[in-house]
């Protein structure tokens, strides 16, 4: 397992933590001010909830939304592929990546990895990175308490760590949604939250041209692109949209002179 990190609360979390005893003291000293104390506590909760519903926010803790500066200087870009492995789509994605000699980062769902171990082994054997995308990928993940969050993430971590000499070092929340309990859990498990700079919405939009346009608009070094091999929408021909989009996307990356790399927390 990866060594734990130290959890450091962000200014927003510290403020929210301080508002609670502050409101209590205010009500004890001046009971008439209870409506203001209640408003202050509600605003703190509202701010925390809004930060958790914004996938690229750093208000609740560290969050990779782009590659580090040195990687940007080298002209690197990261392709991240979520929600697999999928027995129909993942093998075709792996073949396409081989054809372009590109390495990607697969954020796999633990439950699916346990159901398709040969596919996960193939992802690792072909040189791609394997990262943690929760065990059950529950849509209400952002409503979990700390214990349930830790159980789900560490179960996925144990499942995925069997396949690679390097256990996962990044976590991506289901749909990118989270709450303030996530960062202390990730710190204890030695994981870092990773989101993205561009996504194609390829789980709900099968229009390949639009998905491609979202991913390639202002394509630049440091971009972390999000696609899906699991839960992929179908294009007009009934093909999983990632399979239609990947070849022109990889061509655009090459034309822009960018080098696809896997996510690496040691990246200087
Ligand atoms: Zn997902």
């Amino acid at each position: 397992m990866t060594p734990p990190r130290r959890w450091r609360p962000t200014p927003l979390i510290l403020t929210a933590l301080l508002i609670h005893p502050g409101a209590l003291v205010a009500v004890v000293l001046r009971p008439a001010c209870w409506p203001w104390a209640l408003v202050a506590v509600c605003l703190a909760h509202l701010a925390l909830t809004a930060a958790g519903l914004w996938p690229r926010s750093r208000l609740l803790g560290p969050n990779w939304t782009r590659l580090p500066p040195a990687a940007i200087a080298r002209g690197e870009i990261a392709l991240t592929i979520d929600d697999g492995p999928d027995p129909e789509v993942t093998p075709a994605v792996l073949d396409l990546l081989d054809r372009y000699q590109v390495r990607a980062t697969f954020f796999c769902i633990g439950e699916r990895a346990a159901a398709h171990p040969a596919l996960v082994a193939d992802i690792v054997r072909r040189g791609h990175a394997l990262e943690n995308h929760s065990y059950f990928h529950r849509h209400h993940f952002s409503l979990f308490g700390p214990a349930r969050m830790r159980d789900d993430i560490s179960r996925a971590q144990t499942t995925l760590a069997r396949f690679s000499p390097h256990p996962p070092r990044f976590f991506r929340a289901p749909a990118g949604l989270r709450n303030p309990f996530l960062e202390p859990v990730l710190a204890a498990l030695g994981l870092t939250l990773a989101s993205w700079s561009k996504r194609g919405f390829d789980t709900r939009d099968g229009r390949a041209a639009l998905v491609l346009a979202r991913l390639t608009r202002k394509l630049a070094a440091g971009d972390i692109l999000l696609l899906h091999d699991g839960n992929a929408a179908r294009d007009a021909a009934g093909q999983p949209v990632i399979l239609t989009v990947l070849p022109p996307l990889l061509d655009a990356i090459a034309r822009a002179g960018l080098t696809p790399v896997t996510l690496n927390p040691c990246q200087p």
Side-chain angles (χ1 to χ4, degrees):
M1 286 288 151
T2 36
R5 288 186 292 110
R6 195 169 155 216
W7 175 59
R8 289 189 180 85
T10 60
L12 175 66
I13 289 180
L14 271 179
T15 308
L17 285 173
L18 290 173
I19 279 176
H20 288 78
L24 190 65
V25 169
V27 170
V28 168
L29 295 178
R30 292 189 63 186
C33 78
W34 72 264
W36 295 107
L38 185 64
V39 166
V41 168
C42 289
L43 283 177
H45 281 262
L46 202 63
L48 292 174
T49 304
L53 296 177
W54 175 17
R56 303 183 65 237
S57 134
R58 291 195 185 86
L59 294 168
L60 300 180
N63 183 6
W64 277 43
T65 57
R66 299 186 69 76
L67 296 179
I72 295 174
R74 290 192 295 267
E76 293 173 354
I77 191 169
L79 217 61
T80 62
I81 301 176
D82 287 17
D83 291 6
D86 179 282
E88 178 197 350
V89 184
T90 308
V93 168
L94 290 172
D95 287 346
L96 277 172
L97 294 173
D98 273 358
R99 195 189 309 159
Y100 282 81
Q101 296 186 304
V102 162
R103 301 280 177 271
T105 300
F106 286 78
F107 279 90
C108 286
I109 296 173
E111 188 180 32
R112 293 189 181 177
H116 306 288
L119 267 181
V120 186
D122 210 19
I123 290 172
V124 174
R125 187 182 59 76
R126 298 203 202 187
H128 305 290
L130 189 62
E131 303 294 350
N132 187 328
H133 194 33
S134 81
Y135 193 83
F136 290 113
H137 200 264
R138 295 283 188 239
H139 292 303
H140 60 293
F141 177 85
S142 63
L143 301 177
F144 284 8
R148 191 166 175 197
M149 238 174 213
R150 190 185 167 108
D151 284 352
D152 183 272
I153 297 169
S154 56
R155 188 170 175 188
Q157 190 72 1
T158 306
T159 303
L160 296 169
R162 288 191 209 115
F163 294 96
S164 169
H166 308 291
R169 292 163 294 181
F170 287 98
F171 174 76
R172 181 171 282 159
L177 308 181
R178 62 204 191 280
N179 66 34
F181 298 128
L182 178 62
E183 175 51 22
V185 168
L186 292 185
L189 294 172
L191 289 165
T192 300
L193 184 69
S195 53
W196 53 82
S197 55
K198 293 183 175 70
R199 59 172 160 174
F201 293 99
D202 57 337
T203 54
R204 44 185 146 119
D205 192 347
R207 295 169 297 176
L210 279 179
V211 171
L212 180 66
R214 291 184 191 113
L215 291 167
T216 54
R217 188 170 162 269
K218 295 185 181 169
L219 192 67
D223 269 337
I224 299 175
L225 306 181
L226 166 60
L227 292 114
H228 291 81
D229 58 346
N231 302 319
R234 304 274 162 166
D235 67 9
Q239 173 163 258
V241 73
I242 184 174
L243 301 181
T244 315
V245 164
L246 258 186
L249 175 62
L250 295 172
D251 286 335
I253 290 171
R255 268 200 312 277
L258 300 169
T259 308
V261 296
T262 55
L263 286 192
N264 179 353
C266 308
Q267 228 156 9

